[in-house]
Amino acid sequence: MVIDSSDIASSSERSRFSNMKVTDCPALIRCKLIKGTPMFKIYEVVEKHNHALVDVDNMDLTRSRRQLHFGTQEYIHKSRAAKVGLNVAHRLQSALKGGEHLVRGTVVDYKNFSRDIRKFIGKRDAQILVNILNKRRKKSEFFSFVFKAVNRELRAVFWADDVSKCNYTTFGDVLAFDATYHTNQYNMIFVPFTRVDHHKKCVTFGAGLLYDETIDSYKWLLERFIEAHFKQPTLVLTDQDPAMRQAISIVLHESTHRLCMWHITKKIPKKVFGDLLQNTNIRKGIHRLVWNVFLEPSEFEERWQLLMAEHNLNDHEWLSNMLAIREQWVPAYFKDISLSCLMKTTSRCESSNALFKLKASGANTLVDFLICFDSTVDGQRYKQRKLEFTTMTTNPSLRTLLPIEKHAAEVYTRSIFEEVQKEIHKSVWWCSVATCHQVEDVKNYVASHSKYGVGLVREYQTEVVEELLGEDGDDEIDYDPPQGIRTKGCGKTRRFIGPGEIAISRSQKPKRQCKTCFLFDGHDTRNCPLNKKENQPVQAQPEPK
C-alpha cells in the first residue's frame, strides 16, 4: 500500500476563493506502509523549495495554526450566547495564554466560526431546540417538556427540570409570573415562574415561550405547569393583564389570585389629576394605607373613606374601581394566607426577568436563548447552595443574651435570621412595657415603642446614667431644642467656595494671548498697554531757542 499525499484530491470539498500564493513547490515526502507492521517506509524526499519559508515568529499566522480546536469553538459559541463580543473573547484568550501568538485563530477566524454557527442553525432553530429538550427528557424521567406547533410552526414551549420540581414542592405556596420580551429574534414571549426561597432569593419553577398573550396561550401554559408539578399554588401573584386573569380563573381555580400592588400604586399620579402638592399628599396617604399589613379589612375601609372625603375623591372613577377589587391587591384582605406577605408585588419577577435579559438579547436564536436560560438558572442555584453552606457551617454573632435569639439562630437560615435579629434588637432597645394587667391566669402587656431608642434607657442602667450626667431623669421638660433652623446656604447642593480657592483656581487657568502685543500677561486687546500709549495725548515739544 502506497500513500502519496500529492495524489490525494478531495472532490467532495467545495473550492473556495483564497489569496494564498500557489507556487507548485516540488518539496515532498513519500512513504509506504510496511506490510504486516504499523510502520511506514519513506522512499522519496525532495527538500528543495521554490519559495521562502515562513519565519518562526509568524508560524501562528499559517493556515494550519489558525485551525480552531473543539475547545476554542465551544468557547466561541458560549461567548456568543453570554453576550460577550468576539473581540473581547479573543482578547481574553490572549491575556490568559500570554500573548496573541499563543492563541489559535485570529479575531476574523472567531467571527467566521460564529457566522458558520448562525448559518448552520438557520431554519433548524426550532427543531434543534425541540431535539435538545427531548434528549433531556429521555435522559431524566423527572424532566418535563411539552411544546405545541401549528402548521409546523412552533407556537408554545414549556419545560421544567427535576430541581425546579423539588423547589416547587418546598416553596410552591406562593407563585408569581410575568411576561418579558426581547429575549430572542422571533419575539416569542418568555414567561418564567418565580418564587422566593428560604434565603429570600429568587427561585425558578419552570419557564415557557409563547407565540402571543391570549387567554388560550396562558391557559395552555398553566395547564402544562400543573401537569408537571401536580398541585396548584395557594396564592398566585400577577399584574393586571386581563388574559392572565381569565386563564388563572379557569385553570388555577383552587388558588387565590392577587394583583401586584406596585403596578396599581404607580398609576396614582397619572389617574388622579389636580395640584401637584395635593396629588403628592394623596399618594402618600394611599401608600401608608394600602401597604400597612397590620390593618383589618373594616379598619382599612373606614380609613379609605376618610381619605377620599378629605381630598373630595369619593366619586373618582378609577379609585372607586380599585376599591371594588380591593380584595385582590390590598394585604389586609389576604394577610391570613400563609407566606402571602413575602410577595406583595411582582418585583421578584421583574428582578428575575432582568437577570435573564442580562445574558439574553433580541438577536439570540432559540438555541442561544436556552443556553442563556441554563446559565442564569445555574447561577441562581449556585447562590442558593452557597447560602445553604454558610447557614450549615457557620454560627451567627448574637447581639443579645435572650434565649429567643439563640433559638432563632438555630431554626432560621442566615438571611431570615438577620431580619429576625433586627426585630429582637429593636424590642430590647426601642420598646418597653407600658402597662401590665392580669385577667385570671393571663397577663396582658402593652408595649410602647420609642423611635430610634430616644428617651428609652433600660432600668438597670438608669442610675448609672443619672450619676454620669448629674441629672435626674424624672425632671419635667420646660424647654425643647430648636427645630427647623435654616442656615446660610441651606438646601444648596454645592458648597461655598472661599476667595483663597477662587484665587488658586484662577492662577491655574491658562492665560490668554493678547492680539496686540502677542504676550501672555493676562490682558487682552481692550486693556493692552500698547493701546493705552497710542491713545495718550501727545505733549507739545518746546521750540529750540
Side-chain angles (χ1 to χ4, degrees):
M1 176 180 179
V2 178
I3 300 177
D4 193 341
S5 59
S6 62
D7 295 336
I8 298 176
S10 177
S11 59
S12 61
E13 293 184 359
R14 184 179 57 183
S15 61
R16 51 184 297 185
F17 295 102
S18 174
N19 57 359
M20 296 292 293
K21 290 184 178 180
V22 179
T23 61
D24 293 330
C25 179
L28 58 86
I29 296 178
R30 288 179 177 173
C31 59
K32 63 181 179 180
L33 180 65
I34 301 176
K35 190 174 181 180
T37 65
M39 302 178 66
F40 288 85
K41 178 181 179 180
I42 299 175
Y43 67 89
E44 184 180 358
V45 176
V46 179
E47 297 183 0
K48 187 178 180 181
H49 295 268
N50 63 358
H51 58 84
L53 299 179
V54 178
D55 188 29
V56 177
D57 296 334
N58 296 326
M59 289 296 293
D60 59 302
L61 300 177
T62 59
R63 181 179 295 181
S64 59
R65 288 287 297 274
R66 288 174 57 182
Q67 296 296 321
L68 303 178
H69 292 166
F70 176 77
T72 306
Q73 294 170 344
E74 185 181 20
Y75 169 74
I76 296 171
H77 179 47
K78 291 186 176 180
S79 297
R80 288 178 58 255
K83 294 176 68 173
V84 177
L86 297 179
N87 287 300
V88 177
H90 191 271
R91 288 202 302 269
L92 287 174
Q93 285 285 347
S94 176
L96 291 172
K97 294 187 176 181
E100 294 197 4
H101 63 285
L102 299 175
V103 180
R104 275 194 169 271
T106 63
V107 176
V108 176
D109 297 323
Y110 277 39
K111 293 180 179 180
N112 289 342
F113 182 73
S114 176
R115 175 205 60 199
D116 295 340
I117 293 175
R118 293 193 301 269
K119 188 175 180 180
F120 175 81
I121 293 175
K123 296 182 179 180
R124 305 186 188 95
D125 195 8
Q127 185 63 52
I128 294 174
L129 176 71
V130 171
N131 293 343
I132 292 174
L133 294 176
N134 269 328
K135 290 177 182 178
R136 295 182 184 180
R137 181 172 57 181
K138 293 178 181 178
K139 187 176 180 180
S140 174
E141 59 179 342
F142 300 105
F143 188 90
S144 296
F145 165 58
V146 190
F147 70 96
K148 181 176 70 173
V150 178
N151 296 328
R152 298 185 59 185
E153 184 182 23
L154 189 66
R155 291 298 185 95
V157 185
F158 171 78
W159 70 96
D161 61 2
D162 51 348
V163 180
S164 299
K165 292 182 178 180
C166 291
N167 288 332
Y168 183 79
T169 303
T170 308
F171 310 113
D173 303 272
V174 179
L175 174 67
F177 66 96
D178 187 21
T180 186
Y181 314 93
H182 306 298
T183 59
N184 55 84
Q185 64 184 14
Y186 308 101
N187 292 326
M188 292 193 76
I189 302 152
F190 176 53
V191 186
F193 295 88
T194 311
R195 171 67 162 92
V196 178
D197 64 2
H198 56 318
H199 298 287
K200 297 198 73 175
K201 299 296 182 182
C202 292
V203 59
T204 303
F205 298 143
L209 288 170
L210 299 178
Y211 180 81
D212 52 22
E213 293 185 276
T214 61
I215 298 175
D216 292 336
S217 296
Y218 281 120
K219 180 173 175 289
W220 180 91
L221 184 63
L222 292 175
E223 288 174 348
R224 303 294 84 77
F225 181 85
I226 298 303
E227 289 177 1
H229 295 292
F230 304 108
K231 70 171 186 178
Q232 297 189 14
T234 305
L235 185 143
V236 182
L237 186 64
T238 67
D239 57 15
Q240 291 180 278
D241 187 274
M244 285 186 183
R245 295 175 63 179
Q246 293 290 336
I248 290 172
S249 63
I250 297 172
V251 181
L252 305 180
H253 49 82
E254 299 178 5
S255 305
T256 303
H257 183 210
R258 292 291 175 256
L259 302 177
C260 173
M261 296 176 60
W262 179 80
H263 280 88
I264 294 177
T265 54
K266 78 170 184 177
K267 297 178 182 179
I268 295 174
K270 182 172 64 174
K271 298 292 185 179
V272 181
F273 300 97
D275 182 67
L276 179 61
L277 179 61
Q278 182 184 6
N279 189 288
T280 303
N281 294 333
I282 295 170
R283 188 178 183 183
K284 288 181 179 179
I286 294 177
H287 274 236
R288 285 195 298 266
L289 187 59
V290 301
W291 288 95
N292 193 340
V293 297
F294 302 104
L295 292 179
E296 296 297 329
S298 58
E299 189 177 1
F300 167 79
E301 294 175 5
E302 180 181 355
R303 293 190 181 185
W304 178 277
Q305 296 299 335
L306 291 175
L307 182 64
M308 296 298 104
E310 179 183 355
H311 297 283
N312 298 321
L313 293 171
N314 290 322
D315 298 330
H316 194 277
E317 181 180 0
W318 183 79
L319 291 174
S320 300
N321 293 335
M322 292 301 101
L323 181 63
I325 60 171
R326 57 189 178 276
E327 295 182 355
Q328 297 184 15
W329 65 283
V330 178
Y333 291 89
F334 58 89
K335 64 179 181 178
D336 295 332
I337 300 176
S338 177
L339 303 177
S340 61
C341 289
L342 285 178
M343 293 182 67
K344 298 185 286 293
T345 69
T346 57
S347 59
R348 289 288 181 171
C349 294
E350 302 290 345
S351 174
S352 179
N353 293 349
L355 188 62
F356 284 115
K357 293 180 71 173
L358 182 65
K359 296 183 178 180
S361 70
N364 279 354
T365 62
L366 295 178
V367 178
D368 292 336
F369 170 74
L370 183 61
I371 296 174
C372 297
F373 175 83
D374 293 339
S375 176
T376 305
V377 171
D378 183 65
Q380 284 184 356
R381 293 170 182 174
Y382 170 75
K383 291 179 181 178
Q384 184 184 40
R385 186 164 54 87
K386 183 179 178 181
L387 291 171
E388 193 70 25
F389 179 80
T390 303
T391 301
M392 297 296 294
T393 58
T394 60
N395 293 320
S397 58
L398 304 180
R399 302 174 66 179
T400 67
L401 299 177
L402 297 177
I404 188 174
E405 184 182 9
K406 183 178 180 181
H407 179 67
E410 296 174 355
V411 298
Y412 290 122
T413 61
R414 187 59 42 81
S415 303
I416 302 298
F417 169 73
E418 289 176 354
E419 296 191 3
V420 174
Q421 187 183 44
K422 290 180 182 178
E423 298 300 324
I424 295 175
H425 186 261
K426 290 179 182 178
S427 67
V428 174
W429 288 97
W430 298 357
C431 297
S432 62
V433 178
T435 60
C436 176
H437 61 278
Q438 185 171 350
V439 180
E440 297 180 354
D441 296 334
V442 179
K443 290 184 178 181
N444 296 320
Y445 295 89
V446 177
S448 63
H449 181 266
S450 179
K451 188 176 182 181
Y452 306 120
V454 177
L456 177 62
V457 181
R458 288 183 289 184
E459 293 182 1
Y460 68 87
Q461 290 184 345
T462 303
E463 297 179 358
V464 178
V465 176
E466 289 178 353
E467 184 177 354
L468 290 174
L469 298 179
E471 292 290 335
D472 188 0
D474 296 331
D475 292 343
E476 294 184 0
I477 300 175
D478 297 327
Y479 306 101
D480 295 325
Q483 297 180 2
I485 295 178
R486 296 182 61 83
T487 59
K488 183 171 60 175
C490 178
K492 295 184 178 180
T493 58
R494 297 180 60 185
R495 67 181 181 87
F496 283 102
I497 302 176
E501 291 183 72
I502 294 176
I504 293 174
S505 62
R506 285 180 177 176
S507 65
Q508 293 175 349
K509 289 183 179 180
K511 295 181 179 180
R512 296 185 300 177
Q513 183 184 23
C514 177
K515 301 299 183 181
T516 302
C517 63
F518 302 102
L519 297 177
F520 293 89
D521 284 344
H523 63 267
D524 54 15
T525 304
R526 294 174 299 175
N527 52 11
C528 180
L530 294 180
N531 290 338
K532 291 182 179 180
K533 292 181 180 180
E534 292 177 359
N535 296 330
Q536 288 180 355
V538 180
Q539 297 181 358
Q541 298 293 332
E543 296 181 359
K545 295 181 181 179

